[in-house]
Amino acid sequence: MSVAAQVNQEVHQQSEEAQFIVDHYDLLELMTVNAATGLGTRYTRCVTVTEEWRIFAAYVVAGGILLSLLLIVVTVTTGFRYAKKIEQRVSTRSGSLSSISQIWSEALVGRLVRCSHIFAFLVFRNCSSRFCHKRASMLGDPDVPLPRLWQAWCLVPVLSMYGTLVLVLLAGIYMQFE
């Protein structure tokens, strides 16, 4: 009890500046607290909507990167099986798909490169413009009928990966704004 009385007496004897700090401690804490780092005890719930969106964007970036890696794995495993079938059907002597399959092996990078060329062939083949049809004929024979399942296994994972990467880039740009 004597200690409390002694502290109380010292507080009353302090200068005006020290007394102001004691009297208006809550106001000073509010002015100096930083909600982004979590300092302070009373005013840590000052999270604004933009900070919540930035946190959401960070989760989108992290999830998008993981999803893109998963889609690459799907492309080089299951998608490559169908890409090889498409290569065998549409490759011609003068087309570059036949030379690409000879240059690139079936290792991881080779599979990714070959799937990328099959993806480009299928995109050019399915476009209606004369320019795209000409580009598809430089890769292989665009008039060979292909099952839709084969095309889907070569198109959907790659298109999904590109869409996810665009979303990741947009979320990353949003995170840079204040």
Side-chain angles (χ1 to χ4, degrees), residues 10-128:
E10 286 179 20
V11 166
H12 289 295
Q13 293 174 355
Q14 290 175 352
S15 65
E16 286 183 29
E17 292 87 13
Q19 189 63 39
F20 178 81
I21 291 173
V22 171
D23 291 341
H24 303 303
Y25 178 76
D26 289 340
L27 176 65
L28 291 172
E29 183 184 18
L30 176 65
M31 291 176 8
T32 58
V33 74
N34 185 351
T37 58
L39 298 176
T41 56
R42 293 184 181 180
Y43 303 103
T44 56
R45 296 296 300 165
C46 295
V47 177
T48 62
V49 174
T50 58
E51 289 177 13
E52 290 173 354
W53 280 105
R54 288 177 73 187
I55 291 169
F56 177 73
Y59 282 119
V60 168
V61 168
I65 291 172
L66 292 175
L67 182 62
S68 293
L69 291 174
L70 177 69
L71 290 169
I72 289 173
V73 170
V74 168
T75 301
V76 298
T77 55
T78 307
F80 182 70
R81 182 175 29 184
Y82 293 104
K84 277 177 45 175
K85 292 178 181 180
I86 292 173
E87 271 181 349
Q88 291 169 355
R89 276 213 186 164
V90 301
S91 63
T92 59
R93 287 184 182 258
S94 61
S96 61
L97 284 179
S98 59
S99 61
I100 288 168
S101 64
Q102 293 172 357
I103 294 171
W104 291 97
S105 65
E106 291 191 16
L108 184 66
V109 176
R111 286 177 174 222
L112 194 57
V113 169
R114 288 169 68 181
C115 285
S116 298
H117 280 84
I118 293 296
F119 171 77
F121 171 76
L122 290 174
V123 168
F124 286 142
R125 177 180 187 240
N126 292 323
C127 287
S128 60

